[in-house]
Amino acid sequence: MAVPVSQAWTVATYVLKQKLMGRKKYPLVLMLEPLFRCNLACAGCGKIQYPAHILKAELSPEECFKAVEECGTPMVAIPGGEPLLHPQMPEIVAGLVARKKYVYMCTNALLLKEKLHLFKPSKYLSFSVHVDGQREHHDFSVCREGGYDIAMEGVRVAVEAGFRVTTNTTLFDGADPNSVRAHFDELMVAGVESMMVSPGYTYDKAPDQKHFLGRARSKKLFRSILSNRKKTWRFNASPIFMEFLMGKKDLTCTPWGMPTFSIFGWQKPCYLLQDGYADSFKELMETVQWSNYGTESGNPQCANCMVHSGYEASGVNYTFSSLKGLLQTAKGIFFSKYEDEGAMKLLNEWKPATHGPLVQIGSPVTKSTTELQEVSGD
């Protein structure tokens, strides 16, 4: 199974409780961002574009615990930045585990091997390692030669130490579906518990704005990747969300499904957009005009979004909204090959895109490598 039975049961009972209480808007996963600084400067991410004083700021363990209790979700994802740069991250994780929250600590794994001894294996903790594809593609994506080898070494060391390890792969325009499928094979051989895959979102601050996928291209790419699956592949995602990526299912966005808390407060409206901040989770839920977001709203910022943080909760909600949803999800779990001759033809005819040499993307005003390391702590 892609996740432990105890986690699946906890999430299912949580969602059913919200349904029985008549709540139409409820969070599924808290996106907890204790810091923005990072030891990478990826072209598709804008987090390190903040000024130095913001990159040096971080949430305290107490602020993290308060946000988790305020939100009440059974699962907490800790993105960034790079969470392992936070000096109190072991304390934060231990506190969340003690509260029996299922924690996905997102990391590029550059520091994982070095920091692993600071954590204890638990069914409540998973290291979610960001690996964007096979060696050449990953290194190009994160703008660092050798990044893939370090990340995969971190995966292997964590698995051998008894930790739950999942992966997160973000795909951009030009991704080769045949390479991505080979990448899935490599991750399964490495012993990861399950994989998450999602198209990239067009962050305004991202240095590279040319390679984000539109919806039509996303569906074509994911149809070719996720159809005709191998039995060995295990995915950390709702079957309904994955069918949505493949163009087999229509879903509306659930922007409140994965609320974000960071050094600025509760981010309006979601993890991907910054339209102000609220001082409390209650204020976030009650003051955001949710109808202004999602593809159906006509908001141009949402037009091409098919990202996990907006639609995974939609898939889960679909599952528990009707008997039909439960049956379709069960079918996706137990009969998950998704045979598709057309998708196989796409794979056979796909011509890999070419790209230029690897370029290290700097932060604004062309910071030097030394300055970037000073801010990130690398």
Side-chain angles (χ1 to χ4, degrees):
M1 192 170 180
V3 297
V5 174
S6 60
Q7 179 176 335
W9 175 256
T10 297
V11 173
T13 53
Y14 167 80
V15 173
L16 288 172
K17 180 180 178 181
Q18 308 308 309
K19 296 286 186 182
L20 291 172
M21 295 176 68
R23 292 179 178 169
K24 294 184 178 180
K25 293 182 176 68
Y26 58 88
L28 182 67
V29 180
L30 170 61
M31 307 294 282
L32 180 65
E33 289 189 298
L35 80 173
F36 291 140
R37 67 181 180 273
C38 190
N39 46 9
L40 284 177
C42 304
C45 175
K47 294 300 175 70
I48 68 161
Q49 304 301 309
Y50 285 105
H53 72 281
I54 296 297
L55 295 180
K56 291 177 180 179
E58 55 196 29
L59 292 175
S60 69
E62 291 72 25
E63 289 173 313
C64 292
F65 302 150
K66 181 181 178 182
V68 169
E69 290 165 0
E70 190 178 349
C71 186
T73 58
M75 295 183 288
V76 179
I78 307 179
E82 170 51 53
L84 288 176
L85 290 173
H86 195 302
Q88 293 177 289
M89 187 50 56
E91 182 182 344
I92 292 171
V93 168
L96 297 179
V97 168
R99 289 166 171 78
K100 297 185 178 180
K101 300 296 182 181
Y102 286 93
V103 180
Y104 285 88
M105 207 205 74
C106 307
T107 176
N108 56 40
L110 295 184
L111 295 173
L112 185 55
K113 186 176 179 180
E114 173 188 336
K115 303 275 189 177
L116 195 62
H117 69 282
L118 300 174
F119 301 88
K120 294 181 179 180
S122 168
K123 70 176 183 179
Y124 293 107
L125 172 62
S126 174
F127 288 109
S128 178
V129 180
H130 190 90
V131 193
D132 274 343
Q134 291 185 291
R135 180 177 288 102
E136 180 182 2
H137 185 84
H138 176 81
D139 287 358
F140 182 79
S141 178
V142 302
C143 305
R144 175 164 175 163
E145 292 180 356
Y148 174 87
D149 292 329
I150 297 173
M152 291 304 294
E153 176 65 13
V155 167
R156 284 187 285 270
V157 170
V159 169
E160 290 172 0
F163 287 92
R164 293 179 59 195
V165 179
T166 60
T167 56
N168 177 14
T169 298
T170 304
L171 301 181
F172 296 88
D173 195 20
D176 179 0
N178 290 289
S179 177
V180 174
R181 288 168 66 91
H183 171 58
F184 291 164
D185 290 336
E186 293 172 350
L187 295 178
M188 292 292 96
V189 170
V192 305
E193 177 182 283
S194 56
M195 307 172 290
M196 187 176 74
V197 61
S198 184
Y201 178 76
T202 53
Y203 288 106
D204 289 339
K205 291 179 179 292
D208 180 5
Q209 291 289 322
K210 299 179 180 179
H211 292 93
F212 291 102
L213 284 159
R215 278 207 162 198
R217 286 179 293 173
S218 288
K219 291 176 182 178
K220 180 180 179 181
L221 176 64
F222 281 95
R223 178 191 174 193
S224 60
I225 292 170
L226 298 176
S227 298
N228 308 299
R229 296 179 202 171
K230 296 184 180 181
K231 291 183 179 180
T232 55
W233 294 352
R234 298 184 300 276
F235 292 99
N236 182 26
S238 159
I240 301 301
F241 169 66
M242 299 189 76
E243 289 182 11
F244 165 71
L245 290 179
M246 298 162 70
K248 294 179 176 292
K249 186 75 64 182
D250 289 326
L251 293 175
T252 56
C253 180
T254 306
W256 58 83
M258 295 188 182
T260 299
F261 183 77
S262 72
I263 59 173
F264 298 127
W266 293 93
Q267 183 170 310
K268 298 180 181 181
C270 66
Y271 180 64
L272 301 171
L273 296 179
Q274 292 177 323
D275 287 349
Y277 295 87
D279 292 330
S280 68
F281 178 69
K282 183 175 185 293
E283 180 188 337
L284 173 75
M285 296 299 289
E286 293 179 353
T287 61
V288 171
Q289 296 296 314
W290 299 108
S291 60
N292 292 339
Y293 303 98
T295 307
E296 300 74 21
S297 70
N299 189 327
Q301 292 179 292
C302 304
N304 288 314
C305 181
M306 296 181 71
V307 180
H308 173 269
S309 60
Y311 289 92
E312 172 67 13
S314 306
V316 172
N317 184 63
Y318 181 92
T319 294
F320 290 99
S321 293
S322 65
L323 178 59
K324 177 183 177 182
L326 283 169
L327 292 175
Q328 289 184 355
T329 298
K331 181 180 178 182
I333 293 173
F334 296 108
F335 303 96
S336 58
K337 189 173 182 180
Y338 292 97
E339 294 183 357
D340 185 336
E341 291 184 7
M344 187 61 71
K345 183 178 180 181
L346 284 174
L347 278 177
N348 293 334
E349 296 177 352
W350 199 282
K351 295 181 179 180
T354 58
H355 55 70
L358 179 67
V359 177
Q360 176 68 49
I361 303 296
S363 51
V365 200
T366 321
K367 283 190 176 68
S368 70
T369 302
T370 302
E371 290 174 315
L372 190 59
Q373 289 175 339
E374 288 176 353
V375 171
S376 70
D378 192 12

